[in-house]
Amino acid sequence: LSDRLVFERTTAAILEDFVHCEPEDFERNMGRALSRLGSYTGANRCYLYRFHRGGEDGVRMLAWRAPLDDAAIDPPGTLPAAEGARLDRILEQEPVVVVNDVDGSGHPLLDCPPWSRSGQQVRSCGAVRVLQDGRNVGFLGFDARATSEWGAGEKSLFQLVANLFSAMFARMDAQRCQLEAIDSLKSSGKAKTDFLANMSHEIRTPLNGVIGIADLLKEMDLTPPQREYVDMIRESGTMLMSLVNDVLDLSKIEAGQLILELVDTDLRSLLDDLIGLTAFYAQARGLEMVCRVAPEVPERVLVDAGRLRQILTNLLNNASKFTQD
């Protein structure tokens, strides 16, 4: 009963570490599982290797050594792909291999690293496959410098820990894919922002030329219809420039580069200019635009005049667009 109680407490502690495991705690909790496993089974070493697709060498992810065993050394950091394949073939026949006494056993597991290259007296050892989607992605290994009596209970615990590691591998892969997707989105967003900024600057140059030519034409001796057409050209150019400025501002906001330029501004003069530009569009739709400023509104304000002009222009144009005559 005492042994059973210790087994159940060890199992419960290992499971508890994995139930609410956050990504940043993956490796720490996996290391704690190895520690609990080694302490319960009396092993001197427990370690975890992971294989990758493409025939690459296996990589040791984690290693635990008994605290009082100063002579124990860590297993190799990498496992050659050929050795990993040979070990996989052995574990295909027996998913949980336990050799309680290596003397005279002749088990093929003893010819595989890390036991064949341990450089120390390994008297008992074992290994468990770590599967993911039916494919071997690693193995959990353990050994001791004394003969052991690992039985069905220890085998079930070894298998449980291997299954938990499999779940952790899946979560780690999912997290990596998520991070890669986020990085890809960030790169895509930066490319879009750069494109918008470059495009906006490229459009503003010829657009300023159109508006400038319209201003020059207005100073010439024009007939009333011609002057009306020039006004329409200039008004359309001004509205298009406002849209381009909005796009440029959006790209600056996404890039975190938008800076407000606060200057002392004559508010009523700004409103007069703005009404002069937008009233033409309203009149073309048979509407009358009237601007009234409350007496308590100050004459001069500290504001980003360009941004305020953009906001009011959009509001007024939308008001004209969606107001029925």
Side-chain angles (χ1 to χ4, degrees):
L1 289 176
S2 177
D3 291 343
R4 183 66 183 178
L5 182 60
V6 174
F7 173 81
E8 290 181 352
R9 285 178 175 174
T10 302
T11 304
I14 292 174
L15 288 172
E16 185 178 359
D17 282 341
F18 284 84
V19 170
H20 302 294
C21 183
E22 298 296 331
E24 60 271 16
D25 298 327
F26 283 171
E27 290 198 19
R28 180 177 64 87
N29 285 1
M30 291 167 74
R32 290 178 63 178
L34 284 184
S35 175
R36 297 182 191 278
L37 181 65
S39 298
Y40 174 76
T41 60
N44 290 87
R45 300 189 305 175
C46 293
Y47 31 87
L48 176 66
Y49 282 86
R50 184 169 190 186
F51 303 138
H52 296 279
R53 296 181 183 272
E56 299 178 7
D57 293 345
V59 178
R60 190 194 73 220
M61 290 189 60
L62 297 167
W64 171 87
R65 294 181 293 169
L68 301 179
D69 188 357
D70 296 333
I73 61 174
D74 288 335
T78 59
L79 188 67
E83 297 290 355
R86 180 166 62 149
L87 178 60
D88 187 34
R89 289 192 295 270
I90 295 173
L91 295 177
E92 280 181 347
Q93 307 299 322
E94 191 178 357
V96 182
V97 174
V98 169
V99 181
N100 284 319
D101 190 350
V102 301
D103 290 343
S105 71
H107 198 287
L109 185 70
L110 303 177
D111 296 327
C112 300
W115 307 283
S116 62
R117 305 174 187 174
S118 62
Q120 54 190 325
Q121 296 178 349
V122 173
R123 296 295 305 278
S124 56
C125 63
V128 190
R129 300 175 82 193
V130 178
L131 297 175
Q132 192 172 338
D133 297 328
R135 184 178 64 89
N136 186 25
V137 294
F139 76 92
L140 166 64
F142 44 92
D143 54 55
R145 297 203 293 161
T147 58
S148 303
E149 296 181 357
W150 296 324
E154 287 78 11
K155 282 188 176 182
S156 65
L157 188 57
F158 291 141
Q159 184 66 73
L160 170 66
V161 174
N163 292 341
L164 291 173
F165 286 164
S166 173
M168 285 297 101
F169 285 171
R171 292 182 65 181
M172 291 169 70
D173 291 343
Q175 183 195 27
R176 185 185 69 254
C177 291
Q178 184 180 27
L179 293 176
E180 290 176 353
I182 292 174
D183 290 340
S184 177
L185 288 174
K186 288 182 178 179
S187 298
S188 176
K190 184 179 184 304
K192 182 195 72 174
T193 300
D194 293 342
F195 170 76
L196 288 176
N198 293 333
M199 181 195 69
S200 300
H201 284 296
E202 293 296 330
I203 292 177
R204 290 175 71 176
T205 300
L207 194 54
N208 280 323
V210 171
I211 296 175
I213 294 298
D215 289 337
L216 292 176
L217 287 174
K218 288 183 65 174
E219 297 178 1
M220 300 178 66
D221 186 15
L222 302 176
T223 64
Q226 290 174 336
R227 185 171 296 277
E228 182 179 358
Y229 294 152
V230 171
D231 288 338
M232 293 177 63
I233 292 173
R234 193 188 189 288
E235 176 64 20
S236 298
T238 302
M239 293 177 62
L240 183 56
M241 179 65 78
S242 177
L243 292 175
V244 171
N245 288 335
D246 290 344
V247 172
L248 184 59
D249 283 347
L250 176 61
S251 65
K252 287 183 178 180
I253 291 173
E254 291 182 344
Q257 298 175 353
L258 182 63
I259 300 176
L260 295 178
E261 299 178 0
L262 301 180
V263 295
D264 185 31
T265 303
D266 186 333
L267 186 58
R268 284 169 173 75
S269 176
L270 182 148
L271 293 175
D272 289 341
D273 294 341
L274 186 61
I275 293 300
L277 292 174
T278 56
F280 181 82
Y281 179 66
Q283 291 171 0
R285 293 179 53 82
L287 301 173
E288 181 183 5
M289 183 174 293
V290 178
C291 177
R292 295 190 178 93
V293 181
E296 62 271 17
V297 175
E299 292 285 340
R300 307 191 70 82
V301 293
L302 192 63
V303 69
D304 188 322
R307 303 288 183 265
L308 179 60
R309 185 185 299 273
Q310 289 179 30
I311 294 171
L312 295 178
T313 299
N314 289 336
L315 291 174
L316 292 174
N317 287 336
N318 285 336
S320 299
K321 180 178 180 181
F322 296 105
T323 299
Q324 301 296 324
D325 55 6

